[in-house]
Amino acid sequence: MTRQPLRVLGIETSCDETGIAIYDGENGLRGHALHSQVDLHAVYGGVVPELASRDHIVRTVPLIQRVLAESGLAPRDIGAVAYTAGPGLIGALLVGAAIGRSLAYGWGVPALGIHHMEAHLLAPMLEDNAPEFPFLALLVSGGHTQLVEVDAPGAYRMLGESIDDAAGEAFDKTAKLLGLGYPGGPALSKLAGQGTPGRFSFPRPMTDRPGLDFSFSGLKTQALVTLNQLGGAEAIDEQTRADIARAFVEAVVDTLAIKCRRALEQTGLKTLVAAGGVSANSQLRAKLADMTAELGGRVYYPRPEFCTDNGAMIAYAGYLRMKAGLQQDDLGFQPRPRWPLMELEGMPSGEHAAGEK
């Protein structure tokens, strides 16, 4: 009898994107699909948790059916179900957890609750040219900005994190100040590309002192002060708006690069991984590429579609944890809207070879 490879169905419903994927231990990613709720929330200027939860209820099962069909697989071919257990919006997490746990029970396979930030951290391992362990990870996703030393999957040491607004939050809040709507981050980055270099100068917070923590709330305040000095967002022209955006983006990018350089030098690591939605920012990618090259190292990213929330990273993290024999849930699942990465159970060493597909 031919041995069936371990295939893990991944379900991501932590916020405003419904992601489904299947990861195959022998053949890699078999299929994935994503539904974004951007249009649903844009009219409100931000994510409405109740609407997000309701949309996940509508989208999750049809997306699972679609991915199974497009992969040429049936429920009997799935060996485990992985779902995002946290951190995230509690209602949204409950949808993915309830559906994932129910499917696992019905199919007679294990269920695994996955840490959202660990999945982001491991997302670059889905690429053909994957980084090798150990490496430094810059996680810039939503409400998180973190620097993590990664020895192996599940073996993490927190080096620094945001003490107030994360980079993504500061992007969204500053975009709102400039009247750019939702989602603000990508619009702000695009507008910054049209800005005049040097017209405005924003500080690089917490770079003039030791340590690897971040603080971005002051940059949002600096943008507000600048706007008020000019008479408010309604009083400025489009070029001034772009110039402010450029000053803000340059300050965030420089701050992230400075802290990454400091962490690489302190740890002696040469490999940097950047993951999460902000890691898709073109200005940040260029800055980190130059910085790591100067140090004789290299930076790795997930492909752009896997920088934002997605099911592929959940399926892959679930595969690693399933293979390691960890975190198989019973019927009493418990999503965690707040879940520090350092509280995550580790994996036994030797369970993973770098770049394994």
Side-chain angles (χ1 to χ4, degrees):
M1 182 176 179
T2 304
R3 182 183 66 86
Q4 179 172 287
L6 174 59
R7 300 187 185 101
V8 178
L9 171 70
I11 302 173
E12 157 59 23
T13 64
S14 65
C15 189
D16 60 344
E17 287 157 321
T18 310
I20 306 296
I22 297 173
Y23 186 84
D24 184 314
E26 291 185 3
N27 301 298
L29 193 62
R30 290 291 297 268
H32 65 95
L34 183 73
H35 173 76
S36 172
Q37 300 177 3
V38 165
D39 292 341
L40 176 65
H41 300 291
V43 66
Y44 302 100
V47 177
V48 181
E50 177 67 17
L51 294 180
S53 304
R54 290 177 179 271
D55 199 64
H56 287 310
I57 293 171
V58 173
R59 305 287 180 180
T60 302
V61 171
L63 280 178
I64 292 172
Q65 294 171 328
R66 171 182 155 188
V67 172
L68 283 169
E70 292 178 352
S71 303
L73 300 171
R76 64 177 177 274
D77 300 314
I78 302 301
V81 178
Y83 59 88
T84 304
L89 301 175
I90 183 61
L93 292 171
L94 280 168
V95 175
I99 293 175
R101 193 62 195 85
S102 299
L103 287 177
Y105 179 74
W107 294 346
V109 299
L112 303 93
I114 299 301
H115 194 291
H116 183 78
M117 298 309 295
E118 179 181 50
H120 271 303
L121 184 153
L122 295 171
M125 308 306 296
L126 288 162
E127 306 304 324
D128 291 333
N129 185 22
E132 294 188 357
F133 297 96
F135 56 75
L136 175 72
L138 171 66
L139 301 179
V140 276
S141 174
H144 299 83
T145 299
Q146 300 174 329
L147 278 171
V148 184
E149 185 176 2
V150 181
D151 290 330
Y156 312 129
R157 184 166 71 95
M158 186 69 67
L159 301 179
E161 57 189 329
S162 52
I163 62 174
D164 43 48
D165 283 354
E169 291 174 316
F171 263 87
D172 289 340
K173 291 177 180 179
T174 301
K176 193 169 185 177
L177 289 174
L178 292 172
L180 299 181
Y182 170 85
L188 184 67
S189 296
K190 182 177 180 180
L191 181 62
Q194 305 167 23
T196 305
R199 180 180 175 188
F200 299 103
S201 179
F202 286 11
R204 276 55 174 164
M206 296 185 69
T207 59
D208 59 349
R209 68 189 77 173
L212 296 171
D213 286 334
F214 301 92
S215 170
F216 293 107
S217 65
L219 289 179
K220 172 202 63 183
T221 303
Q222 181 69 45
L224 177 61
V225 169
T226 302
L227 279 170
N228 288 340
Q229 290 172 343
L230 297 170
E234 300 79 10
I236 62 175
D237 58 25
E238 195 60 22
Q239 185 58 54
T240 300
R241 197 181 312 273
D243 295 345
I244 294 172
R246 183 176 186 119
F248 172 84
V249 171
E250 286 180 345
V252 173
V253 166
D254 283 352
T255 299
L256 292 172
I258 289 168
K259 292 301 180 85
C260 285
R261 174 189 284 271
R262 188 177 295 176
L264 289 169
E265 291 174 341
Q266 289 182 7
T267 60
L269 295 170
K270 296 294 185 182
T271 302
L272 173 66
V273 159
V278 180
S279 72
N281 180 278
S282 59
Q283 297 99 319
L284 178 62
R285 289 192 171 212
K287 193 76 173 183
L288 293 181
D290 290 343
M291 182 272 293
T292 51
E294 290 174 8
L295 297 178
R298 183 175 175 181
V299 60
Y300 293 81
Y301 305 92
R303 69 195 75 169
E305 63 189 311
F306 292 163
C307 288
T308 55
D309 298 346
N310 63 88
M313 67 182 191
I314 303 301
Y316 180 64
Y319 167 76
L320 291 183
R321 289 196 162 267
M322 182 65 191
K323 186 181 175 188
L326 293 178
Q327 208 173 319
Q328 298 184 32
D329 300 341
D330 58 24
L331 289 175
F333 57 85
Q334 184 181 6
R336 299 178 61 177
R338 290 181 174 82
W339 188 4
L341 182 62
M342 294 302 101
E343 292 182 4
L344 185 63
E345 182 181 7
M347 299 186 211
S349 60
E351 292 293 341
H352 172 77
E356 175 189 18
K357 295 291 179 290

